[in-house]
Amino acid sequence: MRWQVPHLFALVVLFSAIAPELAAQRFAERQTLSQRRRAGVAYDQARSRMVMFGGAQNRGTTFVAGLRETWEWDAVSWTRRSGLAGEPNASDSTRGMVYDPVLGRVVLANFNGQLFEMLRWEGLRWQPINTASRPSFRQHYSVAYDELRRRIVLWGGSDPTGAQLDVWEYDGTNWNPVSAPGPTGRNDPTLAWDGVRGKIILFGGRTIGATPTPIAEMFDWDGSAWTRLTPATVPAARSQHSMTWDPLRRRVVMFGGGVGVPGTVLDDTWEWDGTNWVRVAPTTTPPGRCGHGATFHAGRGRVVITCGETSNDLLGDTWEWNGTNWSVATASESPALRSDHAMAYDNARGNSVLFGGRDHLGQSLGDTWIWDISRWTQVTPAAAPSSRLDHFMVSDLANSNVVLFGGLASGVAQNDTWLWNGTTWSPTSPASRPTARYGHSMAYDVGRGRVVLFGGSLPTAALLNDTWEWDGSNWQQVSTPSMPLGRTDHAMTYDSARSLVLLYGGRTSPSLYNQEIWSYDGTTWFNLTPTTGVQPGLRGNVGFVFDPRQNKSFVYGGQVSAASFVATVHDWNGSSWTAPFVGIPPAARGGHSMIWDGAARRTLIFGGESSGSLRRADTWTFSLNPQGTVGPPIDARRPDCGGGATPVLTGFGNPTVGNRSFALDFTAANPPTNASPVFYFLSLTRGTSSFGTCQLVVDPATLFFTAYRLQLNTLASLALPLPPSTSLFGASFYAQCMFVDPPSNLNGIGFSAGALVTIGDY
């Protein structure tokens, strides 16, 4: 057997000949870490990864829009590890997550409503830890691990009756209260382990009451008593800051925090050496924030912070501190929460571009983002339109650019035209142009090489029913014998199977939504609305896209009243509507962007608004592409194949096209050493041969990839970044591991269960 590690992009060639097209309509959430605050963060030493749970997508003191999500960071990118089912309750967990080396697990100390819950992260799921006693209900508390006494320590916060002053400690079996005089009651203090003093230290927080005030006091806790510390230099008062023990440099590192609720946030970095605080002056520093997560990443040997809240926004970035300077480890991975933005597929460059919209504060945005099949990247062009919302964008194939027109900028309707060339935005000066408007829609007529614009709202709120065409240099109004009623918040697409521009829905008065469907052939408009059969229903701010693989258009979501949204899907085949089965759709929304992603051969959806004026930052695709899966485990071994409980392969993330952080994780308990060798085998077909008394799941004759990794603690991991090539859809291969297992009868060698890996779009 020849050991080799071919270039991973060879997978494209190996699989392209066997990748089937599997017809199965469904939505898939693309796993991009959205901005959040108060998420729990801890480093999982057993699995060499940073774990994040929860967080909120609102600002201020009230914890709403909580996220029941678990993510892991492998020092390259964030990967979603589980969905909504079976997650802990999403609550004030920022300060409630630590790594317990006795359990060998990340532990979450959390409140589900007013009931305390404790869970440990097993790498695939959260497992409850039952204890005879538990801390009394509180919010805005802090947790740290006492490495000397091997205890989890919880203190601070408040309940509706006031401050909670008791200390609770978890000794590996039970939670025990300790009453001792000490700090005054406060919310959002920060606890951290101080390895120099061998104690838990406390700094900051904010007073409890109608006008909370930040605190600058410092204490330490030795397991029985609090001691007030009065160092010569003290950082400014703050709360929701981070303090992290750096065991390599033997310092506690503090970053940021807030001095209002919400209000000013800090971007200062301090270090505590056990005697005094020293402010350091890095040349690069993260944006100021509070409510961020922080931990020491032993694999990187650095303090890591992520997410948090600024004075007016939420963050989704990740930064590392090396003792001298901060550096970006992972930039914000998706556009911020928004609705009423515009997005278009850029045919000339094979990616999608997004611009502007309305953020969670209702303010207009002016940022530009690119989606390249699998991930978002923010770009900073030399020129750009003013911040705006309710504008529209479409790709102009004949002129190899993306056209943007109109919208609301600072509350003023616009009639400017901008072109995107893949690098920057350029304003145009056409001889004629539509009147200033917002809430209009556009589509590109491929057969005629024209951008078609219809309707929208004037600054007076009057609704328009005019038709305009853009030829690449000028706008021209088209007089048509018939036309839809004036409207706004409608949607348009181009039906290439029938060579027609289609228009659907919209709002024809301040409160009247519409369900008409119209076609435009370059001369006039035709009302195609059926009088019988299935109807999508009245809606505006809806997504409407033509799918060339099915030769159908479909609508998803939309607004049906001022505060009501839907999540249904309907297909249009040119003459009638159907309601296809699509599994579980994304949450109901309106004001989202929805386009056909020609490079990925699927529909792309981003953001929008849901009930309660909740803006969204989630990215979804809707496709016929096969589902990406790993497993279930194929255990073709004999009882004496080693490893005790069956060692298995699982996926770190899903094997989806463009997932650059996909990996195969080998998990086996009790390795013989801290760095036991593990050999990975990947084959195109399933094997039928044996190795001693063990059957092989992989086929030695079709092995195309072999690799060697070390099992650290219970985990070995093989990175398999998947290229963003749609030729991989549906390709599959078998994987199995051979590992050192001294008790085995096969000369100290064991085999894992195998796995069938299918590359897909979910």
Side-chain angles (χ1 to χ4, degrees):
M1 183 181 299
R2 181 185 176 194
W3 300 89
Q4 57 180 346
V5 182
H7 196 283
L8 290 175
F9 279 81
L11 291 172
V12 177
V13 178
L14 288 167
F15 291 147
S16 59
I18 61 171
E21 293 291 346
L22 304 181
Q25 287 190 109
R26 71 186 172 280
F27 285 95
E29 185 175 9
R30 310 309 297 179
Q31 297 184 359
T32 52
L33 179 64
S34 56
Q35 296 83 353
R36 65 194 68 202
R37 66 182 180 99
R38 304 187 72 87
V41 172
Y43 180 72
D44 187 339
Q45 295 180 25
R47 303 180 60 255
S48 304
R49 286 174 186 150
M50 194 163 78
V51 182
M52 171 192 289
F53 174 75
Q57 291 194 311
N58 72 302
R59 298 182 60 250
T61 57
T62 305
F63 191 93
V64 297
L67 298 167
R68 298 180 66 189
E69 302 174 351
T70 306
W71 294 76
E72 289 188 339
W73 188 64
D74 61 356
V76 177
S77 61
W78 288 96
T79 296
R80 176 91 169 265
R81 292 298 281 160
S82 51
L84 299 178
E87 300 282 358
N89 181 59
S91 69
D92 185 7
S93 60
T94 308
R95 314 296 183 185
M97 205 157 134
V98 296
Y99 180 77
D100 186 334
V102 175
L103 292 175
R105 295 290 186 270
V106 167
V107 173
L108 176 65
N110 193 31
F111 283 92
N112 185 351
Q114 293 200 4
L115 179 64
F116 181 81
E117 62 180 1
M118 186 175 178
L119 306 101
R120 64 177 184 266
W121 175 243
E122 299 290 349
L124 294 174
R125 64 188 62 83
W126 288 95
Q127 184 70 32
I129 300 174
N130 297 316
T131 59
S133 60
R134 60 193 65 190
S136 55
F137 172 69
R138 66 197 66 202
Q139 296 174 301
H140 307 296
Y141 53 92
S142 186
V143 167
Y145 188 79
D146 185 326
E147 296 183 12
L148 182 64
R149 301 173 53 249
R150 302 173 79 81
R151 299 282 192 275
I152 297 175
V153 179
L154 181 153
W155 184 82
S158 61
D159 69 6
T161 67
Q164 299 293 298
L165 299 176
D166 49 346
V167 177
W168 285 81
E169 295 190 337
Y170 177 73
D171 60 8
T173 303
N174 203 20
W175 284 95
N176 302 294
V178 183
S179 296
T184 55
R186 64 196 67 191
N187 284 330
D188 293 317
T190 301
L191 300 179
W193 171 246
D194 178 352
V196 174
R197 298 176 65 83
K199 299 177 182 180
I200 297 291
I201 60 170
L202 177 154
F203 183 84
R206 54 187 171 87
T207 60
I208 299 168
T211 56
T213 303
I215 300 170
E217 295 174 344
M218 186 175 182
F219 291 80
D220 68 23
W221 171 256
D222 64 4
S224 60
W226 289 102
T227 301
R228 176 77 180 267
L229 303 179
T230 56
T233 305
V234 180
R238 66 193 68 203
S239 66
Q240 295 191 59
H241 49 294
S242 63
M243 295 198 311
T244 309
W245 170 243
D246 181 338
L248 297 183
R249 302 176 54 251
R250 299 189 64 76
R251 298 284 191 276
V252 174
V253 180
M254 175 194 291
F255 180 80
V259 295
V261 191
T264 303
V265 294
L266 303 169
D267 65 353
D268 49 349
T269 304
W270 292 79
E271 293 191 338
W272 168 255
D273 61 7
T275 302
N276 201 20
W277 286 102
V278 176
R279 182 171 181 176
V280 292
T283 55
T284 303
T285 192
R289 67 192 69 200
C290 64
H292 49 288
T295 190
F296 180 77
H297 193 299
R300 298 282 296 163
R302 298 177 180 183
V303 169
V304 180
I305 66 168
T306 187
C307 297
E309 178 180 7
T310 71
S311 296
N312 55 17
D313 209 348
L314 298 174
L315 297 167
D317 51 353
T318 304
W319 290 73
E320 294 181 324
W321 171 252
N322 64 5
T324 303
N325 205 19
W326 289 98
S327 59
V328 176
T330 303
S332 183
E333 294 186 341
S334 72
L337 306 160
R338 70 189 66 202
S339 65
D340 307 311
H341 47 288
M343 189 163 69
Y345 179 67
D346 185 344
N347 281 273
R349 282 150 284 275
N351 56 36
S352 301
V353 57
L354 178 152
F355 181 83
R358 185 198 314 260
D359 70 7
H360 57 289
L361 299 176
Q363 298 174 344
S364 58
L365 299 164
D367 48 348
T368 303
W369 291 77
I370 300 297
W371 173 263
D372 69 348
I373 292 183
S374 62
R375 65 181 176 184
W376 289 103
T377 303
Q378 186 172 8
V379 293
T380 53
S386 56
S387 299
R388 64 188 65 199
L389 56 98
D390 280 337
H391 50 296
F392 208 90
M393 288 163 32
V394 69
S395 184
D396 182 347
L397 275 67
N399 295 286
S400 300
N401 56 39
V402 170
V403 182
L404 179 153
F405 179 81
L408 276 175
S410 300
V412 178
Q414 306 293 310
N415 70 339
D416 50 350
T417 304
W418 289 76
L419 305 179
W420 171 255
N421 65 6
T423 303
T424 193
W425 292 97
S426 302
T428 63
S429 301
S432 63
R433 68 183 73 182
T435 53
R437 67 190 67 199
Y438 60 93
H440 52 288
S441 191
M442 302 192 302
Y444 183 75
D445 186 329
V446 177
R448 299 173 53 251
R450 296 287 189 273
V451 172
V452 179
L453 179 153
F454 181 84
S457 179
L458 288 171
T460 61
L463 302 181
L464 297 162
N465 67 343
D466 50 348
T467 303
W468 291 77
E469 293 186 349
W470 169 259
D471 63 6
S473 59
N474 200 29
W475 287 101
Q476 179 179 356
Q477 186 170 3
V478 181
S479 178
T480 60
S482 63
M483 66 205 75
L485 291 173
R487 67 192 63 206
T488 186
D489 300 332
H490 50 291
M492 291 167 59
T493 191
Y494 181 72
D495 182 336
S496 58
R498 299 161 189 88
S499 301
L500 296 170
V501 170
L502 299 178
L503 177 153
Y504 172 75
R507 185 166 50 82
T508 53
S509 78
S511 60
L512 181 62
Y513 289 86
N514 193 279
Q515 65 175 352
E516 294 174 345
I517 182 166
W518 289 73
S519 69
Y520 173 71
D521 63 1
T523 302
T524 192
W525 289 93
F526 298 91
N527 191 339
L528 306 180
T529 309
T531 57
T532 60
V534 174
Q535 296 275 20
L538 308 171
R539 64 179 86 179
N541 284 316
V542 64
F544 188 35
V545 164
F546 179 75
D547 183 340
R549 295 175 63 184
Q550 302 182 75
N551 285 331
K552 294 180 180 179
S553 302
F554 76 94
V555 297
Y556 155 71
Q559 191 166 7
V560 298
S561 71
S564 181
F565 302 84
V566 294
T568 54
V569 174
H570 287 77
D571 282 342
W572 174 256
N573 64 8
S575 60
S576 63
W577 291 102
T578 59
F581 174 76
V582 296
I584 301 175
R589 70 191 66 201
H592 50 292
S593 56
M594 191 166 95
I595 62 171
W596 176 255
D597 183 340
R601 297 182 295 170
R602 57 197 176 198
T603 296
L604 176 66
I605 301 168
F606 178 80
E609 177 184 1
S610 296
S611 297
S613 298
L614 173 65
R615 298 313 192 287
R616 312 192 69 90
D618 46 350
T619 304
W620 293 78
T621 57
F622 181 74
S623 74
L624 294 170
N625 300 325
Q627 183 173 349
T629 58
V630 179
I634 305 169
D635 193 10
R637 310 171 315 143
R638 299 284 191 268
D640 56 353
C641 282
T646 305
V648 296
L649 284 173
T650 57
F652 178 68
N654 289 321
T656 60
V657 162
N659 183 359
R660 296 167 175 84
S661 62
F662 175 68
L664 283 175
D665 284 355
F666 166 83
T667 305
N670 304 318
T673 69
N674 253 347
S676 302
V678 176
F679 298 94
Y680 286 78
F681 302 93
L682 278 59
S683 70
L684 291 175
T685 59
R686 179 167 176 170
T688 57
S689 59
S690 300
F691 188 94
T693 58
C694 295
Q695 288 186 330
L696 297 183
V697 173
V698 293
D699 179 4
T702 62
L703 283 178
F704 68 93
F705 190 95
T706 59
Y708 162 83
R709 291 291 184 272
L710 292 179
Q711 181 184 352
L712 301 176
N713 296 308
T714 62
L715 174 76
S717 187
L718 174 68
L720 287 174
L722 296 172
S725 170
T726 54
S727 64
L728 290 177
F729 282 139
S732 61
F733 60 90
Y734 289 87
Q736 192 171 16
C737 284
M738 181 177 73
F739 61 100
V740 172
D741 185 40
S744 168
N745 295 329
L746 300 173
N747 297 319
I749 290 176
F751 284 86
S752 74
L756 174 63
V757 181
T758 301
I759 301 174
D761 189 30
Y762 182 72

